[in-house]
Amino acid sequence: MFLLRWQQAGALRMLLLPVLALASAWSHGEAQVLLKQHQTSVTQGKTKTARIDCIAEGISNFQAAYIHWYRHIPSKGPEWLLYIKSAEEVGYDQDSYKSKYSAAKKGKNVCTLSVNDINPNDEGTYCCAYWEGSSFKVFGSGTKLIVSDKGTSAPKSYEVLSSENENKLTYVCLVEKFYPEVIRVTWTEGGDEVIDNVVNGEVWKSDDDQYSIGSWLTVPKENKNKKYLCKYEHESNEQSFAPPSTQDLTKTAEKQDCNATSGNSRIFYGDHLMHRTAYLVYIVLLLKSSMYYVIVLFFVYRMRTPAKHHGKKT
């Protein structure tokens, strides 16, 4: 069922902003300048203060560097909020922003934006940027601010399903029942992120106001001994988990308990994806057969009823 929701595959839209298309790594001296925003989202209730961190790497003199903050709303273009060089030198786009936003540098390379007295109008994705000269050099990946009293909820379950055909292996990664909806799902092998042949589905909402997402990776069959990891990053926590190896598939096929539990995780072994599909097909066929049975009974009843009435008239 979840495969139907993946027709428009791609990276998560709420994190891929048009402004980030301009982002690129920029060599500064001997190091590469990077701005990292590890928080996928920040959820806070009304009137609270939300804090968003930006970690700078490769800036030789971070304390003297200009760090800028932007806010992006899908229906609008990026909006510049402020820059900070030091506690004494902070510039705002508008004077009214001085009570809403503040920034501070912490430690050797962390810049924190504070959004004060938040309300639903403050929602959006906030990005840090490194300004050098008259052009922008580097942007952070963005952190989405969500105004809600609901709080966060870590994924209640996550699992890797595997399927094998003649010349390829397909691993399906399911992360289910989390809140808020902002999440990053990636695949890695040997510590490096895998980009080719990866399809990320769109987040979908369930009836209980929680969210789920799926991602799948297709690899050649000769890669079956490589160790692939599915990783998710969510405001509540982050986890990495692996598909079963070929040996694990053979060993666990003989066991009744076909899952291994680690914390709140479930890793399903064997061809569980095919079993799930077969089960759904069985349910559909069972429902169809029941419908046919009801229809046949209806027509038999209709055929017998006129015959009875005709007998009475004669």
Side-chain angles (χ1 to χ4, degrees), residues 242-263:
S245 65
T246 304
Q247 294 179 350
D248 290 334
L249 290 174
T250 303
K251 293 179 181 178
T252 56
E254 301 175 357
K255 298 181 181 180
Q256 293 182 350
D257 185 9
C258 61
N259 66 345
T261 303
S262 174

Side-chain angles (χ1 to χ4, degrees), residues 296-308:
V296 170
L297 287 179
F298 174 77
F299 279 105
V300 169
Y301 173 79
R302 292 292 301 272
M303 291 176 64
R304 293 182 61 184
T305 301
K308 291 182 178 180

Side-chain angles (χ1 to χ4, degrees), residues 169-236:
L169 296 169
T170 300
Y171 299 116
V172 180
C173 178
L174 292 176
V175 185
E176 301 174 296
K177 305 292 186 180
F178 54 85
Y179 183 88
E181 72 276 13
V182 185
I183 194 169
R184 293 189 185 113
V185 179
T186 56
W187 292 86
T188 61
E189 191 276 319
D192 298 323
E193 183 175 350
V194 179
I195 300 177
D196 296 335
N197 300 315
V198 172
V199 178
N200 285 327
E202 294 185 0
V203 175
W204 72 86
K205 187 177 181 180
S206 58
D207 295 335
D208 55 359
D209 290 332
Q210 292 187 318
Y211 296 87
S212 301
I213 190 173
S215 174
W216 76 79
L217 167 67
T218 302
V219 298
K221 195 171 182 179
E222 54 265 26
N223 292 358
K224 63 182 179 180
N225 292 325
K226 290 188 176 182
K227 302 298 182 181
Y228 293 99
L229 289 176
C230 178
K231 177 183 179 181
Y232 76 78
E233 299 173 68
H234 187 256
E235 182 179 346
S236 57

Side-chain angles (χ1 to χ4, degrees), residues 22-220:
L22 300 175
S24 60
W26 177 65
S27 297
H28 184 77
E30 297 180 355
Q32 187 182 55
V33 175
L34 295 173
L35 297 181
K36 297 182 178 181
Q37 293 181 245
H38 294 304
Q39 299 161 290
T40 55
S41 62
V42 171
T43 304
Q44 285 284 5
K46 295 179 182 179
T47 72
K48 303 290 185 180
T49 297
R51 293 179 175 84
I52 300 172
D53 292 333
C54 175
I55 301 173
E57 295 183 358
I59 300 178
S60 58
N61 189 2
F62 174 73
Q63 298 303 327
Y66 289 89
I67 303 297
H68 298 252
W69 283 96
Y70 284 79
R71 177 189 177 217
H72 180 262
I73 302 174
S75 60
K76 300 180 180 179
E79 176 189 12
W80 178 67
L81 304 176
L82 59 84
Y83 74 81
I84 178 173
K85 181 179 180 182
S86 64
E88 294 76 26
E89 187 174 347
V90 181
Y92 293 87
D93 181 52
Q94 302 178 26
D95 288 339
S96 61
Y97 286 175
K98 293 181 179 179
S99 60
K100 173 58 68 174
Y101 306 108
S102 61
K105 291 183 177 180
K106 302 177 180 178
K108 295 181 179 180
N109 63 342
V110 179
C111 182
T112 300
L113 174 71
S114 297
V115 186
N116 307 308
D117 192 24
I118 62 174
N119 61 71
N121 293 328
D122 295 320
E123 289 191 339
T125 301
Y126 291 79
C127 299
C128 56
Y130 177 47
W131 184 320
E132 178 73 14
S134 59
S135 60
F136 301 106
K137 301 300 182 181
V138 181
F139 284 88
S141 57
T143 299
K144 186 172 182 179
L145 174 60
I146 299 172
V147 181
S148 171
D149 295 321
K150 185 176 180 179
T152 63
S153 175
K156 293 182 178 178
S157 66
Y158 45 94
E159 58 192 9
V160 173
L161 313 176
S162 63
S163 178
E164 179 178 342
N165 61 16
E166 294 180 357
N167 57 4
K168 64 181 180 181
L169 296 169
T170 300
Y171 299 116
V172 180
C173 178
L174 292 176
V175 185
E176 301 174 296
K177 305 292 186 180
F178 54 85
Y179 183 88
E181 72 276 13
V182 185
I183 194 169
R184 293 189 185 113
V185 179
T186 56
W187 292 86
T188 61
E189 191 276 319
D192 298 323
E193 183 175 350
V194 179
I195 300 177
D196 296 335
N197 300 315
V198 172
V199 178
N200 285 327
E202 294 185 0
V203 175
W204 72 86
K205 187 177 181 180
S206 58
D207 295 335
D208 55 359
D209 290 332
Q210 292 187 318
Y211 296 87
S212 301
I213 190 173
S215 174
W216 76 79
L217 167 67
T218 302
V219 298

